[in-house]
Amino acid sequence: MLSKRPPMGFNTWNTFGTNISDEVIRTTADAMVDLGLLDAGYEYLVIDDCWSKRERDPETGKIVPDEVKFPNGMKAVSDYVHSKGLKFGMYSCAGTRTCADYPASFDHEYLDAKTFAEYGADFLKYDFCYKPDFANGPLLYRKMSMALKASGREILFSACNWGSDEVEKWIRSTGAHMYRSTGDIFDAFRSMKEIALSQIDKINYSAFGCFNDMDMLTIGMYGNGNVAAKEQEKDFDTYYKTEFAVWCMFGCPLMLGGDIRKLNEFCLNLVKNKNFIRIDQDEECRPPFIVTRCGESITFARVLSDNQLAILCVNFGERDEYGRIYFENLGITAASGVGLHMKDCYTGEDLGVVREHWQTRLAPHDCRLFICDLA
Ligand code: GAL
C-alpha cells in the first residue's frame, strides 16, 4: 500500500522553478543520500513543472523531455535516482497545458501515464491549470488515477488542485494518495501561517491512504529561489522551526523545497529531527485539535500511538504571547490526578510530570513541540 504514512521527499519547484536539469537532479540525489536525508525518510525526488519541450512529439503524441535540460533523456535520470535508493517523481497537469505553459495531460491521460511508467516514475504530481471550463475536476483526477493504475507500475498519485471544488470531500475516492489543499506557499512566515490556519477545520479529512498536503516546505531558502517573498523575513530560523513543527503536527507530507545541496547545519538538523518526524509519521495518523487559544497563540494536541500525546504551542503573532495548556481541554481532568510527562522535541529538555495547566512565554513566530506520556 502506498501512502500508509505521509510521503516524504524533495520537489524542485520552490528552489529551481524552470532551472532544472539532469545535473540538478543527480547532485540533489547525491546530497539526499550523503546528508542522511534518505535515512531520515525522505525517499521521493520529484521533478516539478518545466521539464519537457514546449510541444508533444508530432508522431508519437508523447510529451518529450527538454533536450537541453535533460540531454540523456528521463529514463537515465530516473535510473540514477533509483541507483541511489531513492524514488523518482514526475509532474503533469489535468488541463491542456501545465501552469508554466508546457504540454499537459488533458485527453492524453493513458498515454502520459504509460510514458511516466516507462521512465520508471514512482510518483506523479498532477496540477490543475488550463482545465477546460466544461471539464469535471473530480473526473479528471479519477481518469489519471486509473491511467496510473493501468500503467503497470505502482505510482503514488499526488493531486494538486489548490483546495478548489471542496477537494477534501471527494479526492480520497479518486485513488489519490495526497492532495494539495491550499494555494502556493512562498518563503515567508505570513504565507506559512495563512496555509496552516486555513487547514485547521479541514485536517480531519487527512488520514492514511490520502494525506492533506500543505505544499512543499520552504526550509533553507532564506529568501532565495523561485518562491521568494517580496518582504524581508526577520528571523528565518524561527519561522522554519515553526513551519516544520506545524507540518509534522498536522501529519502532512514532508516535501522539502529548499536546495538540499546547500542546507546549513541548522536546517539539516531540523528536517532530520527524529522527534518531529516521529510525530508526523505516527502510525495512527490522527489529526490535531485545538486545546487553547490566547490571542494569536494556539496550542494544538494530537493523540499518538503508544498512549502518547504531541502538544504544539505556536505564537502566530507579532508580539510575545503565552502558549498555554489547560489539561481539562485535553480531557485530562484535575480530579483524576493524571499528569503529563513532557519532553521538548527540539531541545530535548525533560520537563518532568506536569499537572492541570502549563504555560510558556513565546517570542513572535516561535513554538514549542512536546511529546508527552500520561503519568
Ligand atoms: C502550481 C503548483 C505549484 C507548482 C507550479 C508549477 O499550480 O501549485 O506547486 O507545481 O504550479 O507551475
Side-chain angles (χ1 to χ4, degrees):
M1 174 189 166
L2 291 172
S3 230
K4 249 187 182 165
R5 309 277 164 82
M8 294 171 68
F10 167 82
N11 173 301
T12 54
W13 183 252
N14 281 3
T15 292
F16 299 102
T18 184
N19 298 319
I20 44 175
S21 66
D22 182 293
E23 202 217 331
V24 163
I25 303 304
R26 286 178 199 246
T27 49
T28 299
D30 293 346
M32 285 175 81
V33 176
D34 296 346
L35 299 174
L37 289 164
L38 174 60
D39 285 345
Y42 297 91
E43 56 178 349
Y44 289 100
L45 200 177
V46 181
I47 300 181
D48 207 282
D49 204 349
C50 311
W51 60 269
S52 77
K53 288 171 83 155
R54 286 285 178 187
E55 300 304 332
R56 289 176 179 269
D57 181 300
E59 268 162 35
T60 61
K62 285 183 169 180
I63 309 187
V64 196
D66 181 308
E67 286 146 0
V68 177
K69 292 174 180 169
F70 297 100
N72 308 306
M74 214 39 107
K75 181 70 170 50
V77 179
S78 160
D79 285 348
Y80 188 79
V81 169
H82 287 141
S83 77
K84 304 296 282 187
L86 294 158
K87 293 182 176 161
F88 181 63
M90 290 297 306
Y91 165 97
S92 189
C93 176
T96 53
R97 305 286 290 177
T98 72
C99 301
D101 197 17
Y102 292 82
S105 296
F106 184 80
D107 247 356
H108 295 78
E109 291 85 357
Y110 282 75
L111 174 63
D112 291 352
K114 209 125 196 112
T115 306
F116 298 137
E118 283 163 13
Y119 293 161
D122 309 294
F123 181 113
L124 178 71
K125 175 171 168 182
Y126 204 50
D127 223 324
F128 206 51
C129 287
Y130 295 99
K131 178 183 87 84
D133 285 345
F134 65 83
N136 171 295
L139 183 60
L140 292 183
Y141 281 96
R142 218 175 290 150
K143 267 195 209 171
M144 185 46 98
S145 172
M146 293 304 159
L148 291 173
K149 288 182 192 309
S151 75
R153 261 188 92 81
E154 193 171 51
I155 299 178
L156 189 150
F157 187 31
S158 166
C160 176
N161 84 339
W162 325 297
S164 58
D165 298 343
E166 299 188 301
V167 63
E168 66 279 358
K169 298 197 176 148
W170 51 266
I171 192 70
R172 178 175 294 272
S173 70
T174 68
H177 300 98
M178 58 192 260
Y179 63 100
R180 271 279 298 287
S181 49
T182 71
D184 288 14
I185 200 165
F186 53 92
D187 186 17
F189 186 87
R190 186 167 57 88
S191 168
M192 185 279 287
K193 170 184 171 180
E194 193 183 313
I195 285 178
L197 297 183
S198 77
Q199 296 309 295
I200 289 176
D201 293 334
K202 298 186 176 163
I203 203 68
N204 257 296
Y205 289 98
S206 188
F208 51 75
C210 189
F211 291 96
N212 179 335
D213 170 12
M214 300 203 298
D215 209 352
M216 284 86 72
L217 296 155
T218 48
I219 296 166
M221 298 190 67
Y222 294 100
N224 301 304
N226 188 43
V227 299
K230 287 194 192 82
E231 74 247 39
Q232 185 55 40
E233 199 63 38
K234 281 192 213 102
D235 180 353
F236 276 107
D237 289 351
T238 299
Y239 141 48
Y240 291 151
K241 187 176 77 169
T242 296
E243 177 179 77
F244 199 55
V246 171
W247 263 231
C248 289
M249 193 65 179
F250 281 40
C252 288
L254 300 177
M255 300 302 289
L256 302 172
D259 188 342
I260 284 180
R261 305 165 308 174
K262 297 183 183 155
L263 283 184
N264 65 19
E265 215 177 306
F266 170 82
C267 293
L268 196 57
N269 288 336
L270 177 64
V271 300
K272 283 167 52 174
N273 183 302
K274 287 201 167 72
N275 299 322
F276 282 54
I277 293 176
R278 178 258 181 273
I279 293 171
D280 183 72
Q281 299 283 304
D282 186 73
E283 62 183 337
E284 293 190 11
C285 299
R286 295 187 191 279
F289 59 93
I290 292 184
V291 183
T292 317
R293 264 182 196 262
C294 297
E296 291 235 72
S297 139
I298 305 181
T299 297
F300 302 92
R302 178 170 162 200
V303 173
L304 303 175
S305 54
D306 297 332
N307 292 336
Q308 290 192 306
L309 269 184
I311 296 183
L312 173 67
C313 306
V314 187
N315 181 0
F316 285 107
E318 302 303 323
R319 291 178 311 182
D320 280 15
E321 298 261 15
Y322 278 104
R324 295 196 161 98
I325 311 173
Y326 295 127
F327 283 38
E328 289 279 348
N329 294 351
L330 286 170
I332 301 177
T333 64
S336 69
V338 172
L340 288 179
H341 185 180
M342 294 172 59
K343 285 189 200 129
D344 187 307
C345 292
Y346 190 70
T347 62
E349 185 192 348
D350 186 334
L351 276 71
V353 177
V354 179
R355 293 194 169 78
E356 289 191 31
H357 60 83
W358 185 84
Q359 68 180 34
T360 186
R361 195 128 178 108
L362 291 171
H365 302 183
D366 205 0
C367 72
R368 286 189 76 178
L369 179 61
F370 302 98
I371 287 190
C372 312
D373 289 289
L374 292 156

